[in-house]
Amino acid sequence: MKDFVKKPGFILALILAGFFFKGVFIATLFPIFTGQDEARHYNTVQFLAEPKEKTWPITPRPIIPDKATIADYNFSEEIREAGAAADFDLFRHAMYDTSAFSDSNGYDGKNETLIDEMPWQRYNNLSPPDTAGKSLYHQLASLIEKAFASSSILVRFFSVRIFSVLLGTLTVFLAYLIMRTVGFLPQESLIMTAIVAFQPKLSMYTTNINYDALLTPLFALFTLGAVLSLKKGLDWKNILLMVAAIILGFYTKGTALVMMPVFAGLVLFHLYKKFGKGKNIFHYTIAIFLMAVFIFLAFQSAGYSLTGLLPFKGSAAETFSALRAYLSKSLTMGRFALSSRTYWGSLGWEDNWISQNFTDIIKLIEAFSLVGLVLCFLSKNKPGYLPEKKYVIFLLAMIVALQLGIRLYDWKIFMQTGSLDLGTPGRYFLPNLAAHIILVFTGMGMLLRRENYFRNSLLTGLILMFSFSLYLIFNVVLPRYYF
Amino acid sequence: MIATAVLLLVILFKLLGDWSFPDTSWPLEKGEKVKMEANQPLVQKFTASRDGLERIKILFANSAIGDGGKLEMKIYDETCSQLIRESTLNVTSISSGNTTDFTFSRIPDSKDQAFCLNLAYKPQKGTKSASIFILDNPSPQSQYFRLNGQERPGQSISMRPAYQNASGWQNIIELDQRISQYKPWLLKGPYLLVIVFLFVIFAISAVILLITW
């Protein structure tokens, strides 16, 4: 028994089960539609689940710019009415307000019977419908919507949220495989996987109905394929993982584009290694050419336009002027702090010592880690329990690529609207969470130099992340909506 | 292993803290913004709807109180003569984005009792001001309101009394009921309790095994 509970597979199963049930609990804590643009994403799911032939009356209604209530959105009647019945308009914009709880009905809200009776039309009857594209995530979620078509919106909506939690659980599993592949021992890999699993924002965001819930495991899948290729060389398995992640990513969200340059760099690296050893690169060149064509076609068929994604417009002088304006507005301490706060969880919801200082503590730890990573590049003697330099370089490339990709798109939106409408909220950087955690602790490990010190730093990180996660769930999110 | 388990459970227990349930029939809105005169307590009489009054949530307007300023709440009996509870906050600023909580020890037999809430802004030298929101459509439980020495019939501050049950288990049941509202059957009541139990058990077991490996 003692040996069994110490088996990595058993502990990994506990971490995954803990993450899953934590996610379901958080999915329940957040009232309906309170996730990021969640009503719009759910409306997209409903829109895709509608019959192709629109036989019901559709009323034209221009998009209202300043929406005061959920009724002002061009959502299905069911979303607008059920949202209003569940007090969405009360708690959505006022941090201090909650649902008007029913004391007499016990476990049922005041208007829950009405919602369960399903009196409203669930098809979009306002044109244009307020949707968020038709990504792979929405299409998969629309299958759940159809499967539970005879149930109330509460069953359908929360089932899709649980689907997002499952995708989050897949992300945590892939994080473990990445950590094992880059060379960490089973125990250290499991501790870091648990740190990823307890990172509060990952749990909160993968309980939302949002295409990022699918993008995050696809990034992890790509990272796994890439580190496998660095470990064993390119083979059909790891190429398949990376290409599948990129193509599925294209069909999920434009952010997946940032995987392409990293993939190209990785292929060049492998080519260089092969070419350097004097072997024939003909087959590789053909294979890469075919892959490039395949990816390009997938990119086009997913509806993207490379020129449409890039922010260049007018002359070079105009572009540089716009870039200068964008950088002066976006590269500010306040913007960085906002990104950081929203990367770790709902830190802006409370005004106390933890919310004011948590990200400063993280920055201090990251500064130490950065010194360690510099040492990693300068030093010839790397401790055996840390990943090799090639993995560190690759993971850094992933971080840089995502940062550049998001800021490039933010710049494009800035050029169109003249303001930081998109911004760089922390949740956009979550797809690289596993890479981030690996790099932070690799840097720490380089400074600490001894394996037991390194392991203790991991355990300290685990206990802090675990406590922080519980704090945000029980002391921030729960009181926000129920006390 | 036992020590680690105890440590984690202590963290969890500390986090759970004192739960009290606001009476959501009281409206919380940003009404008319009025400055509170220093050392001139506002008086708000109200009737408690339940036993276990333990907290008053108040929605202040943005207030730059400055160093050393205090907000002092006293809960008296109906005649405003006998002090029952008090709570003091040392704050430098208050945001209108969220409520400010005044917590005190539970009043067990508060149901249907009238209370006289007395809220004073006590500045130190150099401190600035505090402002509060006033509502024209108060809860029927609001009875009398006086601000800056002037009675304001038919108005109240933007506040919500919160009540705590007699036992921790009753608090868990009430919280379970609140979370269950507007949720599907599979995330309600006993199912929800099982989900939380499994989350805590799996998560704590994984952490303990990793620490004691």
Side-chain angles (χ1 to χ4, degrees), chain A residues 89-98 480, chain B residues 28 30 97-98:
Chain A
D89 291 327
L90 273 184
F91 52 71
R92 177 69 182 102
H93 297 293
M95 277 293 286
Y96 45 82
D97 214 347
T98 62
R480 156 69 184 93
Chain B
L28 268 181
K30 292 184 178 179
N98 215 335

Side-chain angles (χ1 to χ4, degrees), chain A residues 100-175:
Chain A
F101 293 107
S102 156
D103 292 329
S104 53
N105 292 4
Y107 292 94
D108 292 334
K110 284 175 182 164
N111 299 317
E112 204 166 319
T113 310
L114 175 67
I115 294 174
D116 286 340
E117 283 168 0
M118 298 188 281
W120 305 298
Q121 171 75 267
R122 75 179 62 159
Y123 300 149
N124 277 267
N125 58 353
L126 295 173
S127 178
D130 197 341
T131 59
K134 49 175 183 176
S135 81
L136 180 62
Y137 172 85
H138 296 116
Q139 289 177 16
L140 293 171
S142 73
L143 299 179
I144 298 170
E145 175 77 7
K146 284 180 193 166
F148 294 104
S150 59
S151 304
S152 88
I153 187 173
L154 297 176
V155 172
R156 286 176 275 126
F157 177 87
F158 283 92
S159 298
V160 180
R161 272 196 180 174
I162 292 171
F163 167 61
S164 292
V165 176
L166 279 170
L167 292 171
T169 312
L170 176 64
T171 306
V172 177
F173 176 65
L174 291 170

Side-chain angles (χ1 to χ4, degrees), chain A residues 291-334:
Chain A
M291 263 190 307
V293 170
F294 190 49
I295 288 173
F296 179 75
L297 289 176
F299 186 70
Q300 292 288 331
S301 69
Y304 297 106
S305 147
L306 197 58
T307 49
L309 286 170
L310 294 174
F312 310 121
K313 77 168 185 190
S315 65
E318 274 179 294
T319 302
F320 277 111
S321 164
L323 177 62
R324 205 164 46 240
Y326 168 70
L327 292 179
S328 69
K329 284 210 170 181
S330 69
L331 297 185
T332 63
M333 291 311 285

Side-chain angles (χ1 to χ4, degrees), chain B residues 9-160:
Chain B
L9 286 172
V10 166
I11 291 172
L12 189 61
F13 188 73
K14 287 291 282 180
L15 288 174
L16 297 184
D18 289 331
W19 290 345
S20 55
F21 300 88
D23 180 349
T24 52
S25 67
W26 283 75
L28 268 181
E29 292 164 13
K30 292 184 178 179
E32 180 195 352
K33 181 179 169 179
V34 180
K35 271 193 177 181
M36 292 173 69
E37 284 177 16
N39 297 312
Q40 179 81 269
L42 73 78
V43 178
Q44 167 77 63
K45 287 188 185 177
F46 69 98
T47 309
S49 60
R50 293 172 51 175
D51 284 335
L53 180 66
E54 197 251 0
R55 181 165 58 115
I56 307 283
K57 288 161 71 85
I58 294 184
L59 187 62
F60 284 88
N62 285 331
S63 303
I65 288 175
D67 291 335
K70 280 182 188 173
L71 290 165
E72 195 176 84
M73 177 183 281
K74 291 182 177 173
I75 304 282
Y76 291 93
D77 68 347
E78 189 176 8
T79 60
C80 301
S81 56
Q82 189 187 342
L83 180 65
I84 299 172
R85 297 286 188 274
E86 62 184 319
S87 174
T88 303
L89 295 180
N90 296 302
V91 285
T92 53
S93 67
I94 297 180
S95 160
S96 66
N98 215 335
T99 48
T100 301
D101 287 9
F102 292 86
T103 308
F104 37 85
S105 58
R106 181 176 182 270
I107 303 173
D109 50 353
S110 56
K111 187 174 180 180
D112 296 332
Q113 269 198 54
F115 292 97
C116 175
L117 181 159
N118 196 308
L119 179 65
Y121 159 54
K122 298 200 163 178
Q124 292 292 307
K125 194 178 175 186
T127 59
K128 297 173 186 172
S129 65
S131 300
I132 202 152
F133 288 118
I134 306 298
L135 301 183
D136 289 327
N137 53 342
S139 160
Q141 295 158 40
S142 168
Q143 293 174 351
Y144 170 88
F145 175 46
R146 191 178 75 216
L147 176 66
N148 298 335
Q150 185 190 356
E151 188 179 340
R152 288 173 168 251
Q155 291 188 316
S156 81
I157 52 172
S158 195
M159 63 169 263
R160 212 167 250 181

